[in-house]
């Protein structure tokens, strides 16, 4: 290798990261593009609530299912072709969405979006590992996640404004055009690794140590070994329980609830959704700092209080005897915004309690938890609306929404119970707590 090992990242590294993170912003926009136009989608496709739920459910299911194949392909081909293919898939998906004549075609379009979206974030992480010094990677990863959330803002405000000012075809066709642009940009600008290196490696510029970058799950150990550690199960249930309420709110059901249910204007609903996005971005670094400072109290001091806060505020909104005041809806957005930062603690659990050779597998298991709970919540809310005969925009009512959102309670309860159980087992496993002694007959 001819590239100096101690060289800091140059302008080319920043340009490549800039294109990559911009592609990620667009991917997040595509992922949440129904956030503020769910009612428009229901009208366009004459879809009931359960059918509308399937738009997001199948999209998330494909996204989750693609994580392992994407990791393997990244190891084989590098970031450049994978992120380019991901952008191309999203371009096709949004074009199909723009022109789709019926629900079936639209659902296929959302599945294409899920597949393309799955390729982008892991590819950007790969670029960070190969173009930036190893000691800068944690900061760059956090920065990438924060910048990416601007995609939600684009989906909530400009996209909705464009759709209402023009048409469904123009709005989603414009997103398809942006995806085509970034397909070309990623192919032209992004490179797998710096010139002079013949492999994807991460360099520690302090020591000169070189580590080969890999992304795929460790199939040699297998899922069973990773799942056997209670720390992995604690990570799974933490990621299962903390973000799903916010996912269901921002991806599909938030704006219909706020407008058709609570009677808020589109502008007020957009403002509340923006509070959710911005608050999550601001809370992320703070929660990460606390997590690092209290590694043995993460579940008790951060994860479980987050779940309790979300449940209490949601139940307060549901129990309010009339449409909730604006301050309470803003409080709901702030409470739900804690879920995303708190869910990142799950990956701290996975990293802390697993050896490096099975970290990818443990991380994959953890990631599945959030997607599983999110798609369950989205589907159950839609199903509950349909059961009440309130499955279309013309029949949405506040009372129906209140009952539908109660379907989140069993998910919170299930997840919180398993967090408590697996936390205890994990503390016993690492020697922080004594195992329970079985009582002998003579002790009774």
């Amino acid at each position: 290798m001819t590239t100096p090992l101690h060289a800091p990242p140059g302008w080319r590294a920043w340009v490549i990261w800039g294109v990559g993170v911009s592609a990620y912003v667009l991917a997040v926009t595509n992922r949440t593009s129904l956030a503020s136009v769910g009612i428009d989608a229901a009208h366009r496709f004459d879809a009931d609530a359960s059918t509308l739920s399937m738009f997001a459910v199948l999209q998330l299911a494909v996204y989750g299912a693609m994580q392992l194949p994407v990791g393997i392909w990244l190891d084989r081909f590098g970031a450049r072709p994978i992120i380019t293919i991901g952008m191309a898939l999203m371009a096709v998906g949004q074009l199909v969405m723009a022109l789709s004549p019926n629900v079936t075609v639209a659902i296929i379009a959302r599945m294409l979006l899920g597949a393309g979206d799955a390729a982008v974030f892991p590819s950007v992480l790969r670029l960070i590992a190969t173009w930036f010094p190893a000691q800068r990677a944690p900061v760059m990863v956090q920065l990438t996640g924060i910048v990416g959330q601007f995609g939600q803002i684009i989906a909530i405000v400009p996209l909705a404004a464009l759709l209402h000012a023009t048409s469904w075809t123009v709005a989603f066709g414009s997103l398809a055009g942006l995806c085509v642009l970034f397909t070309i940009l990623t192919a032209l600008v992004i490179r797998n690794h710096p010139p002079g290196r013949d492999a994807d490696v991460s360099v520690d510029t302090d020591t000169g140590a070189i580590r080969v970058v890999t992304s795929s799950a460790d199939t040699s150990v297998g899922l069973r070994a990773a799942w056997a550690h209670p720390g992995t199960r604690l990570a799974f249930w933490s990621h299962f329980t903390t973000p799903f309420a916010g996912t269901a709110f921002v991806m599909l059901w938030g704006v219909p609830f706020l407008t058709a249910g609570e009677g808020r204007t589109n502008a007020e609903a957009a403002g509340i959704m923006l509070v959710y996005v911005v608050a999550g971005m601001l809370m992320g670094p703070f929660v990460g700092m606390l997590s690092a400072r209290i590694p043995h109290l993460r579940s008790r001091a951060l994860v479980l209080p987050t779940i309790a806060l979300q449940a209490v505020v949601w139940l307060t909104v549901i129990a309010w005897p009339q449409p909730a005041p604006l301050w309470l809806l803003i409080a709901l957005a702030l409470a739900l915004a804690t879920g995303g930062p708190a869910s990142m603690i799950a990956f701290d659990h996975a990293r802390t309690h697993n050896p490096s050779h099975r970290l990818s597998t443990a991380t994959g298991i953890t990631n599945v938890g959030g997607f599983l709970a999110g798609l369950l919540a989205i589907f159950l809310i839609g199903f509950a609306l349909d059961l009440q005969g309130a499955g279309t925009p013309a029949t949405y009512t506040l009372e129906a929404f209140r009952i539908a959102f109660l379907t989140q309670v069993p998910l919170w309860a299930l997840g919180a119970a398993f967090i408590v159980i697996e936390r205890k087992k994990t503390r016993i496993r690492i020697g922080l707590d004594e195992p329970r002694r079985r009582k002998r007959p003579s002790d009774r």
Side-chain angles (χ1 to χ4, degrees):
M1 288 182 288
T2 59
T3 302
L5 295 182
H6 295 271
W11 65 268
R12 190 173 186 181
W14 288 104
V15 169
I16 287 174
W17 176 78
V19 172
V21 78
S22 299
Y24 179 51
V25 170
L26 182 55
V28 173
T29 302
N30 288 326
R31 182 189 310 165
T32 54
S33 54
L34 292 182
S36 57
V37 298
I39 292 178
D40 300 270
H43 281 303
R44 177 178 176 84
F45 300 110
D46 194 24
D48 60 21
S50 295
T51 303
L52 193 60
S53 294
M54 296 309 294
F55 282 65
V57 167
L58 290 176
Q59 177 186 341
L60 288 176
V62 171
Y63 184 105
M66 289 297 295
Q67 292 302 301
L68 178 58
V70 165
I72 294 172
W73 294 333
L74 277 170
D75 283 342
R76 179 171 298 179
F77 303 111
R80 181 190 181 194
I82 301 305
I83 194 172
T84 300
I85 291 171
M87 298 310 299
L89 280 173
M90 285 190 287
V92 174
Q94 290 293 32
L95 182 60
V96 172
M97 193 70 179
L99 303 174
S100 54
N102 54 54
V103 168
T104 302
V105 175
I107 288 177
I108 292 172
R110 300 304 294 185
M111 293 173 70
L112 286 171
L113 284 178
D117 184 14
V120 178
F121 187 61
S123 296
V124 179
L125 296 187
R126 179 85 169 207
L127 292 171
I128 290 171
T130 55
W131 279 90
F132 290 84
Q135 55 270 56
R136 288 202 186 187
V139 174
M140 295 300 298
V141 170
Q142 288 288 338
L143 182 60
T144 299
I146 291 171
V147 173
Q149 298 317 301
F150 281 103
Q152 294 188 57
I153 297 177
I154 296 171
I156 291 168
V157 181
L159 178 63
L162 178 63
L163 187 149
H164 295 142
T166 56
S167 67
W168 179 278
T169 301
V170 170
F172 284 89
S174 298
L175 282 180
L178 282 174
C179 290
V180 171
L181 172 63
F182 273 89
T183 301
I184 297 169
L185 273 177
T186 52
L188 292 178
V189 176
I190 288 177
R191 293 294 181 270
N192 287 346
H193 41 256
R197 295 183 192 164
D198 55 2
D200 285 6
V201 297
S202 177
V203 178
D204 189 321
T205 55
D206 291 334
T207 64
I210 302 172
R211 179 178 62 85
V212 175
V213 177
T214 58
S215 307
S216 62
D218 183 1
T219 53
S220 63
V221 175
L223 298 176
R224 184 178 299 177
W227 183 255
H229 196 293
T232 304
R233 301 195 297 271
L234 175 61
F236 173 90
W237 288 110
S238 297
H239 201 251
F240 179 97
T241 318
T242 47
F244 73 80
T247 300
F249 192 78
V250 76
M251 283 198 70
L252 192 60
W253 292 119
V255 169
F257 166 71
L258 293 170
T259 54
E262 292 287 348
R264 295 291 167 180
T265 65
N266 287 330
E268 288 173 327
I272 292 168
M273 299 293 276
L274 283 177
V275 169
Y276 167 85
V277 175
V278 174
M281 293 168 64
L282 294 177
M283 290 179 196
F286 179 69
V287 172
M289 178 186 67
L290 283 179
S291 178
R293 290 189 175 184
I294 52 172
H296 299 307
L297 293 173
R298 290 166 177 159
S299 297
R300 179 179 291 180
L302 295 173
V303 174
L304 290 172
T306 294
I307 297 165
L309 175 66
Q310 292 182 22
V312 167
V313 177
W314 243 131
L315 290 174
T316 302
V317 172
I318 290 170
W320 204 263
Q322 53 195 356
L326 184 60
W327 66 263
L328 183 55
L329 295 175
I330 292 174
L332 175 64
L334 292 172
L336 295 179
T338 63
S343 73
M344 295 298 102
I345 296 171
F347 297 103
D348 292 334
H349 287 314
R351 183 176 62 253
T352 301
H353 301 298
N354 282 276
S356 59
H357 65 269
R358 70 169 183 240
L359 181 56
S360 292
T361 302
T363 299
I365 291 173
T366 302
N367 217 14
V368 167
F371 291 115
L372 177 61
L375 63 87
L376 283 174
I378 290 169
F379 175 74
L380 289 174
I381 292 167
F383 186 64
L385 287 170
D386 279 342
L387 285 181
Q388 299 173 81
T392 63
T395 57
Y396 288 159
T397 66
L398 178 56
E399 189 61 31
F401 271 117
R402 286 171 169 170
I403 294 173
F405 280 113
L406 284 174
T407 59
Q408 298 173 114
V409 174
L411 298 178
W412 278 318
L414 177 69
F418 275 105
I419 288 170
V420 172
I421 293 170
E422 299 302 343
R423 178 181 185 270
K424 182 66 175 179
K425 291 181 179 179
T426 301
R427 289 177 65 85
I428 293 172
R429 179 73 171 263
I430 64 178
L432 292 177
D433 288 346
E434 291 291 329
R436 293 179 179 177
R437 296 178 58 187
R438 293 183 179 178
K439 290 184 179 182
R440 295 175 297 177
S442 59
D443 295 333
R444 295 176 181 173

